[in-house]
Amino acid sequence: EGIIKSAESLESFPLTFRCLKDGEVIWIEARGTPTPLADGGMLWDGFFLDITERKHVEEESKINRQRLRMLNKIIQHDLTNDFIVIESAVYVFKENSNADMLDEIEKRVKKSLATIENYREYESFIDSNAELKELNVNELINEIIYEFPTVKFNVEGSGYVFADEALFSVFKNLTTNSITHGNSSMINIIITSHENFIEIRFEDNGQGIPKDIKDKIFDEGFFYGEKGHSGIGLFIIKNIIESYGGFVSYEDNQPDGAVFVIKLRKVLKQRL
């Protein structure tokens, strides 16, 4: 059942096919004896296995291996730089007994140990979150800008984060809430890269959030105002961001308006 879209190889056995069934992509494995037909088709004397779940696991493992290879290249680059400095400092110390070189060596050793620990945590994160994708924040924001042509957007910075398709809904609903509840006409989106995370700030020029409800806005079931049921709710936004291993918080903008700050795990890119 379903429409066969493509096969990995028509010469290997058993055959593996990518199919479309009820509008969804699945993978099947054909086991049996193929018999070519006169019209160019193929008759199978055998059975089909749904191997979609296995394919998903294989794809996640492939992505994970690629990420770990990239991590290995980055850590080699960073540690090599530190070791070169240490080697030079040792040489200088041997030549003239400059005690300052011992301080430099100690500083670089501590930096190298911190680097190893940071990348160990990063490796643990990607190993346990293989289902998350590497998303370009700016591409998602460009989609938001396209959907809200009446709002003036200013975008600064760029970055890649670990998330999934729901991150677009987060951005969209923050924008919708800013317009609906705050009557905002302008939103500044500032993306900054830090050592282990990307920070995304949504800063609007609206009315902001009343002081007496600031500590409730992320509570389950909470809403305010006549239009309080619009959007997916800040409670759900908070849960989506935290499911990525991230954080979301609120600040007052100056002189007026609201600021929502999102911090997500940064995708490490190899340095040139």
Side-chain angles (χ1 to χ4, degrees):
E1 184 179 355
I3 303 172
I4 294 178
K5 303 295 290 185
S6 63
E8 291 185 338
S9 173
L10 290 177
E11 297 179 357
S12 61
F13 184 82
L15 298 184
T16 303
F17 296 96
R18 181 176 179 269
C19 306
L20 189 65
K21 178 181 179 182
D22 299 329
E24 294 185 5
V25 173
I26 67 169
W27 286 90
I28 60 172
E29 185 175 86
R31 292 180 175 272
T33 303
T35 302
L37 299 177
D39 60 2
M42 188 178 296
L43 175 67
W44 281 91
D45 181 13
F47 58 91
F48 294 95
L49 295 175
D50 186 338
I51 59 170
T52 305
E53 183 175 353
R54 190 183 83 190
K55 275 290 183 180
H56 288 166
V57 172
E58 290 175 354
E59 182 61 26
E60 288 180 0
S61 296
K62 178 181 178 182
I63 293 173
N64 212 10
R65 289 194 300 272
Q66 291 173 343
R67 289 172 176 171
L68 292 176
R69 280 197 295 269
M70 177 60 67
L71 176 60
N72 183 55
K73 292 180 181 179
I74 294 172
I75 194 172
Q76 285 183 25
H77 174 276
D78 288 357
L79 292 181
T80 297
N81 287 344
D82 286 338
F83 292 154
I84 290 174
V85 173
I86 291 172
E87 184 180 38
S88 298
V90 169
Y91 175 79
V92 173
F93 179 76
K94 286 181 177 180
E95 289 293 312
N96 55 30
S97 299
N98 186 344
D100 290 340
M101 293 298 98
L102 295 179
D103 293 335
E104 181 65 25
I105 292 170
E106 181 181 19
K107 182 175 69 175
R108 287 289 175 164
V109 168
K110 289 181 178 179
K111 180 176 178 291
S112 296
L113 292 174
T115 297
I116 292 171
E117 180 59 29
N118 286 337
Y119 288 145
R120 182 183 291 121
E121 292 177 0
Y122 184 84
E123 179 183 5
S124 176
F125 174 84
I126 62 177
D127 190 45
S128 58
N129 293 274
E131 75 282 358
L132 297 182
K133 300 178 180 180
E134 300 178 6
L135 299 183
N136 186 330
V137 176
N138 299 77
E139 290 182 357
L140 295 179
I141 290 174
N142 287 338
E143 293 182 37
I144 295 297
I145 294 174
Y146 179 80
E147 289 210 15
F148 295 89
T150 62
V151 178
K152 177 176 174 56
F153 287 91
N154 298 305
V155 182
E156 298 179 19
S158 62
Y160 285 78
V161 298
F162 286 109
D164 59 24
E165 289 80 1
L167 185 59
F168 173 78
S169 296
V170 169
F171 290 172
K172 181 176 180 179
N173 278 273
L174 287 177
T175 304
T176 300
N177 290 343
S178 178
I179 298 168
T180 302
H181 299 302
N183 296 319
S184 304
S185 60
M186 182 175 68
I187 299 177
N188 297 324
I189 303 177
I190 303 172
I191 308 162
T192 54
S193 176
H194 301 266
E195 184 176 5
N196 296 318
F197 65 91
I198 295 289
E199 180 181 274
I200 309 161
R201 298 175 63 91
F202 279 75
E203 305 177 346
D204 69 39
N205 66 341
Q207 300 171 357
I209 294 178
K211 183 177 179 180
D212 59 337
I213 65 170
K214 288 179 185 177
D215 60 344
K216 303 176 183 177
I217 58 175
F218 292 109
D219 292 349
E220 184 175 8
F222 177 77
F223 65 91
Y224 71 96
E226 296 179 355
K227 302 176 182 179
H229 288 292
S230 62
I232 62 176
L234 293 175
F235 171 76
I236 298 179
I237 286 177
K238 179 175 180 288
N239 277 268
I240 290 174
I241 296 301
E242 289 181 351
S243 73
Y244 303 149
F247 303 93
V248 59
S249 59
Y250 170 80
E251 300 174 4
D252 289 325
N253 202 5
Q254 299 298 330
D256 298 297
V259 180
F260 284 93
V261 183
I262 296 173
K263 296 181 179 180
L264 293 172
R265 174 68 76 164
K266 177 173 69 175
V267 176
L268 299 181
K269 295 293 184 180
Q270 188 174 9
R271 299 165 180 79
L272 299 177

